[in-house]
Amino acid sequence: MRRRDRAGGTVERRGAPASRGPGAVRPLCGVALAAAVLLPVAAPAAAEPGGAVSAVAGVADGAHAVAGSAGTRAAAAGAPRAVPAADGKSQGLPPMPSAFDPGTQGVPCTAASPEKAEKQDWSRQRLDLARVHQHGAGAGTTVALVDTGVRAGAAGLGDRVTARGDAGDDCVGHGTFLAGLIVGEGWGDTRLPGVAPGAKLLALRGTDERGTADAALVARAVRDATAADADVIAIGVALYKRDKELTSAVADALDAGAVVVAAATPDPPNANATQETPTRTYYPAGEPGVLSVADMLPSGARPGDALPTDGVDLAAPGAGVVSGGPRGNGHYLGAGASVAAAYTAGTAAVLRAARPDDTPGEIVHRLTATAYPADIPQLDAYAAVTTVLGDADADAGARPRTEAGPVTVRDTSDADGAADRATVFVLLGAAGVLAVLWAVVAVPRARARGWRPADTARD
């Protein structure tokens, strides 16, 4: 910076860079102060998808609104917009198939996974399992799982699994994967527990050894579950045609007091199995009294490879989900309506343990009435366990399910964008308030100097 010397010449002032003076610095200080105050508040909300943000779930039939899980909205807002169905890319884990291609001969059983999950997947944060387990873990209940079987002694299942017949051998691994979501203890550093780790699980085979579903096998498995007094029957397979024997078996299970949960659609054997198919009802999910569950992404939308269906009662996490398998101590990635049904069945077990006097209809109604509101209500495990329903809600639980038309899961990305815009408006508004406060102090001083920058340099 140059200044005049006493003789009228100019000299170069050394030792300090050019400065704009306090008149230019104070505005920057105001902006910095605004950032310092607001960023610590805004950053955690944007960076933590599992943060505590309350959600309010609407209850149908005129019932009152109920409080949803604290992590539900935050998990939906902070999670990725799309999750691979089961391609192993999300966490570098191998996929868990739901079945082997019937046309392929000599395919070996699913191998042990050499990889372990490095983080919790979005689904457990979405269901808020850490807080659910503060209120119960399904102790004293039995969940019967009808799928490809469950490997006896699989990692993370302890002694909580018993198998009927050949269901103790799981070549595909899919049933063992689902068992981990229901009663898994969450082994390893990552801790990925099931919804009801205190419950017992009865493994039953509803498929052949390659994972192809068979109506006669499913019907027999449902009858075995009823004879064993299972509290919850989870059916991970879905059939294209209605079967009289299966219809009768399901009706008897409901009459015996079991909560029956079924996958709304079959799981594609792999991520490339999507075909153009018309909307249709699958069974036994379509049977009256059965809780039909579809899979959803973190956004709330159904996966792109999901088969279209109708009459769905509930949606639950069903993509990019981590669990164990029949061999080794590693983890796998799984997807599909069967995964969503397993999560829902585990929640039903926790409810049955906490509310032993409730009828199956009341348990089903609680699951749907406390769900996050959408075109298909989205499972909110924490709200289901903790919400106090009124008399109107209890009466509604006794009503049979009515058939519904085709529906789709609501995509919450627009709501997420609105929340982001609201955050920006709050930040800009607060910064404006701080700028006004700064002006109240700075303007009088500037007027007193004749609007000239203050010169802090003194000879």
Side-chain angles (χ1 to χ4, degrees):
M1 183 177 75
R2 297 179 181 274
R3 63 177 178 84
R4 291 187 177 276
D5 63 6
R6 293 178 180 176
T10 60
V11 296
E12 186 73 22
R13 187 178 179 186
R14 299 178 181 178
S19 172
R20 298 183 180 180
V25 172
R26 285 190 179 111
L28 297 178
C29 292
V31 174
L33 178 59
V37 171
L38 296 174
L39 285 180
V41 177
E48 298 179 8
V53 179
S54 62
V56 177
V59 179
D61 301 323
H64 62 79
V66 296
S69 166
T72 299
R73 264 188 168 170
R81 288 288 178 256
V83 175
D87 61 5
K89 295 180 181 178
S90 178
Q91 294 203 66
L93 303 175
M96 174 56 69
S98 59
F100 297 135
D101 189 344
T104 303
Q105 301 295 328
V107 176
C109 296
T110 300
S113 170
E115 305 293 337
K116 291 188 177 181
E118 298 179 354
K119 57 184 179 180
Q120 277 211 350
D121 61 26
W122 69 278
S123 63
R124 289 169 173 84
Q125 297 180 25
R126 179 70 178 257
L127 298 178
D128 213 352
L129 295 191
R131 292 208 299 165
V132 169
H133 293 158
Q134 295 176 4
H135 297 272
T141 63
T142 298
V143 180
L145 175 61
V146 182
D147 202 79
T148 63
V150 177
R151 181 71 175 268
L157 300 181
D159 59 354
R160 293 181 295 283
V161 177
T162 58
R164 185 70 59 88
D166 57 0
D169 182 18
D170 185 12
C171 179
V172 178
H174 189 258
T176 307
F177 183 93
L178 298 184
L181 302 179
I182 300 172
V183 299
E185 63 189 6
W187 74 100
D189 297 335
T190 312
R191 302 293 298 171
L192 296 166
V195 186
K200 298 290 186 180
L201 188 136
L202 174 62
L204 299 163
R205 180 75 70 78
T207 71
D208 62 17
E209 65 178 6
R210 313 304 289 174
T212 300
D214 181 87
L217 292 177
V218 177
R220 186 174 67 185
V222 171
R223 292 203 179 278
D224 288 344
T226 304
D229 294 326
D231 299 283
V232 180
I233 302 177
I235 304 175
V237 300
L239 302 166
Y240 287 82
K241 295 181 180 180
R242 195 173 192 182
D243 179 81
K244 291 183 179 179
E245 180 58 28
L246 178 55
T247 298
S248 175
V250 168
D252 291 344
L254 293 169
D255 290 341
V259 176
V260 182
V261 181
T265 64
D267 295 337
N270 56 64
N272 299 318
T274 305
Q275 297 178 356
E276 291 295 330
T277 56
T279 299
R280 63 185 304 165
T281 300
Y282 297 90
Y283 296 94
E287 297 290 350
V290 175
L291 186 65
S292 175
V293 184
D295 47 338
M296 71 179 189
L297 297 168
S299 66
R302 293 199 69 196
D305 61 355
L307 297 174
T309 188
D310 54 16
V312 179
D313 298 306
L314 203 63
V321 174
V322 178
S323 186
R327 284 159 282 277
N329 296 316
H331 293 113
Y332 303 79
L333 261 176
S338 61
V339 171
Y343 270 143
T344 304
T347 306
V350 174
L351 287 176
R352 298 226 69 171
R355 311 180 65 86
D357 296 331
D358 282 7
T359 67
E362 290 170 342
I363 295 293
V364 168
H365 177 71
R366 174 172 284 274
L367 288 168
T368 55
T370 60
Y372 189 86
D375 292 339
I376 302 176
Q378 301 169 9
L379 176 65
D380 189 334
Y382 181 73
V385 173
T386 60
T387 298
V388 177
L389 296 179
D391 293 337
D393 301 306
D395 293 339
R399 294 197 294 269
R401 187 186 72 179
T402 58
E403 296 297 330
V407 291
T408 56
V409 179
R410 178 174 62 88
D411 189 338
T412 59
S413 58
D414 290 341
D416 298 338
D420 293 339
R421 290 192 295 272
T423 301
V424 172
F425 291 152
V426 170
L427 293 174
L428 292 176
V433 170
L434 291 176
V436 170
L437 294 176
W438 166 81
V440 169
V441 176
V443 169
R445 294 185 178 181
R447 183 183 294 113
R449 295 193 303 269
W451 303 101
R452 294 189 302 275
D455 188 0
T456 57
R458 305 297 183 197
D459 292 336

